[in-house]
Amino acid sequence: MTAIAQATSGIGRVFEHRFYTYKRTFRASLFSSFLTPVLFLTAMGLGLGGYVDASNNDALGGVPYIAFLAPGLLVATAMQAASFEATFPIMAGLVWSRVFHAMYATPITSRDVALGNLVWIGARLALISTVFTAVIVAFGAATSPTILLAIPVAILTGLAFAAPIAAFSATQRTPDRFAALFRFVVMPLFIFSGTFFPVEALPAVVQPLAWVTPLYHGGVLARGLSLGTFGTNP
């Protein structure tokens, strides 16, 4: 067996483990992965959006609020899902069940474990993003068929968070710091990186902090694809 085939086989075994684990526990993630974003889109996009659209919405470029919100929420949901998948499941495999240690005792390498987990997270994000994109289309919040390209944008944005967070999780022996990670990093980014309102509405000193985050750029790209304005002059 060639080195490439061996590496692929190891990654596939790790992916298979994560798949079968999820198959037993997927019901617990249905609400957070699928229903919560839909409720956000309903409450914020249709509820609050009705008031925003009734006022002067020049700040949104004249588009309905739900059309502005939906692609940003798609990418933000991918970020949140990736962040969760890169914290507790990683710690479980290294500390609680030590299944990753058991894998390392086989021909599976540490690189296989790391990449296999990232491939699994990418697959989870693909499922979440595809379903959420279908909901966006059903809500009439997408004005261009290029919204389909927002799915890989959401996946890549999520992976941009998953990789460093997984590396951080691998250094932890207790989940104590995860609460701080979600409270002071993930949640502020979710709110202040252009998902719910343009970052230009933030104070000038804060805007550069939003611009350097993957979530901001993923949201801008997904929004341009959803509205069909990607590649056009501002």
Side-chain angles (χ1 to χ4, degrees):
M1 183 181 294
T2 66
I4 295 178
Q6 288 178 338
T8 303
S9 176
I11 294 171
R13 294 300 184 184
V14 178
F15 179 91
E16 183 180 15
H17 160 72
R18 292 296 305 269
F19 172 76
Y20 281 116
T21 301
Y22 179 72
K23 188 177 179 180
R24 293 195 302 269
T25 62
F26 75 96
R27 294 176 183 83
S29 67
L30 289 178
F31 186 85
S32 61
S33 297
F34 303 112
L35 295 182
T36 297
V38 172
L39 294 177
F40 258 114
L41 196 60
T42 302
M44 300 294 291
L46 297 180
L48 177 62
Y51 294 100
V52 174
D53 294 339
S55 63
N56 186 357
N57 65 346
D58 290 341
L60 304 180
V63 302
Y65 183 67
I66 190 172
F68 175 88
L69 172 68
L73 194 59
L74 166 66
V75 176
T77 299
M79 176 200 69
Q80 289 186 309
S83 298
F84 178 82
E85 288 286 341
T87 49
F88 293 99
I90 300 300
M91 175 162 287
L94 288 172
V95 180
W96 298 330
S97 69
R98 297 179 66 86
V99 67
F100 295 157
H101 293 272
M103 291 179 180
Y104 191 65
T106 72
I108 296 176
T109 66
S110 57
R111 179 178 296 179
D112 295 336
V113 174
L115 293 179
N117 277 285
L118 289 179
V119 172
W120 165 252
I121 294 174
R124 281 275 289 127
L125 297 181
L127 175 61
I128 293 170
S129 301
T130 300
V131 172
F132 194 63
T133 299
V135 173
I136 291 175
V137 174
F139 272 68
T143 60
S144 172
T146 53
I147 181 64
L148 295 177
L149 297 178
I151 296 175
V153 170
I155 296 171
L156 292 175
T157 302
L159 289 175
F161 286 92
I165 291 176
F168 168 75
S169 300
T171 67
Q172 304 300 300
R173 293 299 173 262
T174 66
D176 298 344
R177 295 183 180 178
F178 291 163
L181 173 67
F182 283 99
R183 185 173 302 163
F184 298 113
V185 179
V186 175
M187 187 55 64
L189 288 178
F190 180 68
I191 298 174
F192 297 111
S193 291
T195 300
F196 297 99
F197 54 86
V199 296
E200 289 76 15
L202 294 171
V205 295
V206 180
Q207 293 179 20
L209 298 178
W211 292 334
V212 299
T213 64
L215 182 59
Y216 166 76
H217 295 284
V220 170
L221 181 55
R223 190 168 289 121
L225 293 168
S226 178
L227 299 175
T229 58
F230 176 72
T232 62
N233 294 326

